[in-house]
Amino acid sequence: ERLYQRSTEILLLAKDALPGSRAGAAFGAAVEIVRARPGGVHVIDVGIAGLLVEIAARVYVSYQKRLLAQNAMDFDDLLFNLHRLWTEHPGILEQYRERFTQVLVDEYQDTNRVQYLLVRMLSEKHRNLCATGDPDQSIYSWRGADLRNILDFHRDYPEAATVRLSEQVIALSPR
């Protein structure tokens, strides 16, 4: 089994799908696929106009076939397939809920939609979730991070306490 570097592989497939002068469109298709997947969206569902939809769909299908042929998944596939597994087999989810009664998520502002759903599913029974993060430090929207996850945290977990750190503490190694 292999974990794929999705963006590189998709770009190569996109270039194959659009040789010559259409390389810019291939790059655009690759970018749209890379952006769509962390949100748990199949590329077919993404509202990209005209030719880009066709290109992105072809590249995505080729990419998924290549992964399957090599018994591989990329990082987003791991997340997406875990969500599907837990949704379709609640007994398996329950086993993980019993094993992980306390959940810690660091950099919560950088989670994408599927990560948010997985955390929610896992912590739903015991509601012992500790999330650290700062909405002003969100830097991964290009990779699918959804700032709403941290902004809506108290809506989703009204019983949660907020601890604000009033000053930045930088850990220094001993001299």
Side-chain angles (χ1 to χ4, degrees):
E1 290 116 10
R2 293 176 52 197
L3 183 63
Y4 260 63
Q5 180 60 34
R6 175 185 41 141
S7 54
T8 304
E9 192 71 19
I10 288 176
L11 184 54
L12 292 173
L13 288 168
K15 284 182 179 178
D16 290 345
L18 286 173
S21 64
R22 294 174 138 184
F27 180 76
V31 167
E32 289 303 325
I33 293 168
V34 168
R35 282 161 126 184
R37 283 306 304 283
V41 178
H42 284 288
V43 77
I44 307 304
D45 298 334
V46 177
I48 313 165
L51 178 62
L52 203 51
V53 172
E54 178 188 332
I55 297 164
R58 265 191 291 159
V59 170
Y60 179 74
V61 168
S62 296
Y63 177 64
Q64 289 300 313
K65 284 180 182 176
R66 187 175 287 187
L67 290 175
L68 186 61
Q70 296 187 24
N71 196 28
M73 282 192 249
D74 65 20
F75 182 71
D76 292 324
D77 287 332
L78 292 173
L79 297 174
F80 188 79
N81 289 328
L82 179 59
H83 180 264
R84 196 166 104 195
L85 176 71
W86 284 357
T87 301
E88 294 175 4
H89 303 280
I92 294 173
L93 170 60
E94 189 56 34
Q95 290 174 1
Y96 281 93
R97 284 179 177 158
E98 288 305 316
R99 183 170 181 188
F100 299 104
T101 59
Q102 298 174 350
V103 178
L104 168 66
V105 180
D106 191 21
E107 303 294 348
Y108 197 77
Q109 76 278 358
D110 291 327
T111 57
N112 63 40
R113 181 69 180 162
V114 176
Q115 291 168 321
Y116 163 83
L117 293 171
L118 291 171
V119 167
R120 211 162 150 154
M121 292 169 83
L122 185 61
S123 65
E124 188 173 46
K125 181 174 184 177
H126 299 286
R127 311 278 299 168
N128 290 325
L129 174 63
C130 176
T132 66
D134 180 351
D136 294 330
Q137 299 294 320
S138 181
I139 58 171
Y140 291 109
S141 62
W142 60 272
R143 197 177 67 187
D146 189 343
L147 191 57
R148 291 174 296 185
N149 295 344
I150 196 166
L151 295 176
D152 295 341
F153 185 81
H154 277 288
R155 183 200 68 203
D156 298 334
Y157 301 95
E159 69 279 12
T162 298
V163 178
R164 297 195 189 279
L165 302 178
S166 58
E167 65 181 66
Q168 177 127 359
V169 178
I170 299 174
L172 301 174
S173 60
R175 295 183 193 246

